[in-house]
Amino acid sequence: METQPIIVWLRRDLRLADNPAMHAARESGAPVVPVFVFDEEEAFAPGGAAKWWLHRSLRALSVDLTAAGSRLVLRRGRGAETVAEIARSLNASAVFWNRRYAPAHVAADKKLKADLTAAGVEAKSFSAALLREPWEVETKAGAPFRVYSPFWKVLRAAGPSREARPSLRKIRGLPKSPFTEDLDSWGLQPVHPDWAWEFAEVWRPGEAGAHEALKAFLDETAEYYARDRDRPDREATSRLSPHLAFGEISPLQVWRATHARIEAGELDREVGEKFLSEIGWREFSYHLLYFNEGLEAAPLRAEFAALPWRKDKKGFAAWTKGETGFPVVDAGMRQLWRTGWMHNRVRMLVASFLVKDLLIPWQDGASWFWDTLVDADPANNSASWQWVAGCGADAAPFFRIFNPVTQGEKFDPHGAYVRRFVLELSQAPDKFIHKPWEAPKDDLASVGVTLGKTYPARIVDHAFARTRALEAFRSIRKD
Ligand code: FAD
């Protein structure tokens, strides 16, 4: 029996089902040593909210691995170096991992592959996080895509490149498991203050929680998805984003489960396709991330680097705290702070407000999201901010500036979403819930609202801000 172990370096693939690197290691017959390295210095190291998630996801994975007869090895340090050192100390025959796609990660993994190979250790990488590898989807001319629709058309027609694999029930390890650190000693959970206290009421990190979320969505909500996905006052989306971001479930598993419901006649095909096309946006974001170094920092339309952005510390602070005086913006930012997540439509509104109404660089907003989202994702966060800011490859035009009042009235018509997160306005009349400054003072006073005291006055006038943004945009326009 093979005694030299294979190391599986786990990153954002914290699952035992449909995990190609784990499956390949297990099928080799060699003892398998699953390793996770917490590397605070790596590109896209998790922010505060994602650390909360990571802690719980690792704990869940560790329990599942133990149940399968294995043991998760936890270490802190530089990722590749630590893995190479473990491989050396255990005299491993191979190191397997599932691929990452940020250019910095690709470079680090390539170097590790070269180093291991030079040391006589096999290094093998697998496709696990996407339906198809970024380089497998190309234009007729053989180039990467820069526009979503044709990208999705090609990927949708090709379909996934592999079959989903069932969960690993039994994994042989070494007779004596290597040293592992204590997860609790990593300090991933906030303590003083515990700003994440509400997260646990909303989320169940880990592979079981991911499948529970998918099943609940397909059983209860999916049929309303196409109609209601833009309504933050309704629970119409899957909330799979953090599970996908940590790889607790793969897009392939989501794809297969959705198709199974369609084929069984339990889900309308068009609705199911609409949902899968959002998974398609995730694939597209990864395509952009892979082919564009610095997606998180440099605008894809280079002229945007010269936009006359404003330095506005006070405005930025008001935005982060949900104290801009625009109810739907404030509700979104408070939902983010309280639950580590925000509805997609509201993400678009708050991002547009920061970038266009306040003219604050999109990178500042992306950093705040990075720190506060449990689903913070290198591809989706960077690509979406570029999209809203108008500087992305396939972006909303800069001059399409969301009006936070009319958008609120359209997508949260009775203000139920605002009332849930902006408690000061919970009794405000429907008519003024998205524009309390237009309400007669007495009407507001009778429900306990005094603008500028119990709820902030608007930090900017939208009509003025709109003109200012358009002028700034005109200054960089190249036509
Ligand atoms: P559903 O509507 O149920 O969609 C299913 C899955 O498809 C999602 O879980 C997600 O993986 C993917 N998806 C859906 N919409 C998008 C989209 N527009 N772009 C890319 N993928 C999408 N998503 C993240 O996962 N991480 C981020 O860091 C992130 N940052 C964002 C920042 C901004 C400014 C904006 C406008 C959007 C951002 N998104 C991000 C995309 C989107 O808002 C979330 O994926 C979505 O709200 C998650 O909720 P859900 O799982 O219920 O989505």
Side-chain angles (χ1 to χ4, degrees), residues 193-259:
D194 177 10
W195 44 259
W197 65 271
E198 230 178 312
F199 288 17
E201 288 173 18
V202 185
W203 301 108
R204 187 176 168 215
E207 191 170 4
H211 287 276
E212 212 173 80
L214 176 61
K215 184 172 182 313
F217 173 67
L218 291 174
D219 285 350
E220 295 156 27
T221 344
E223 61 180 302
Y224 309 111
Y225 184 78
R227 191 190 72 192
D228 287 346
R229 60 177 290 273
D230 274 327
R231 293 284 299 266
D233 57 337
R234 298 184 176 163
E235 293 287 333
T237 67
S238 69
R239 289 182 174 255
L240 278 171
S241 50
H243 299 291
L244 281 163
F246 281 92
E248 298 168 353
I249 193 166
S250 69
L252 176 58
Q253 291 171 305
V254 176
W255 169 285
R256 293 279 181 238
T258 306
H259 274 291

Side-chain angles (χ1 to χ4, degrees), residues 125-140:
S125 64
F126 297 83
S127 164
L130 298 172
L131 294 170
R132 288 227 166 227
E133 298 297 69
W135 52 89
E136 288 175 356
V137 189
E138 50 182 26
T139 64
K140 282 202 186 97

Side-chain angles (χ1 to χ4, degrees), residues 326 328 345 349 401-413 434-435 437 462:
F326 289 90
V328 76
R345 170 59 50 177
L349 296 181
I401 297 177
F402 285 129
N403 179 325
V405 175
T406 52
Q407 288 282 308
E409 288 171 344
K410 183 167 176 197
F411 296 111
D412 181 28
H434 290 290
K435 46 183 180 197
W437 56 89
H462 177 68

Side-chain angles (χ1 to χ4, degrees), residues 66-83:
T66 304
S70 175
R71 185 154 188 227
L72 179 60
V73 173
L74 296 169
R75 295 283 173 85
R76 250 175 313 185
R78 296 313 317 261
E81 278 102 327
T82 308
V83 167

Side-chain angles (χ1 to χ4, degrees), residues 225 237-241 278 344 347 375 377 380-381 384:
Y225 184 78
T237 67
S238 69
R239 289 182 174 255
L240 278 171
S241 50
E278 295 304 321
N344 178 60
R347 291 189 203 206
D375 66 21
D377 179 282
N380 284 0
N381 197 43
S384 299

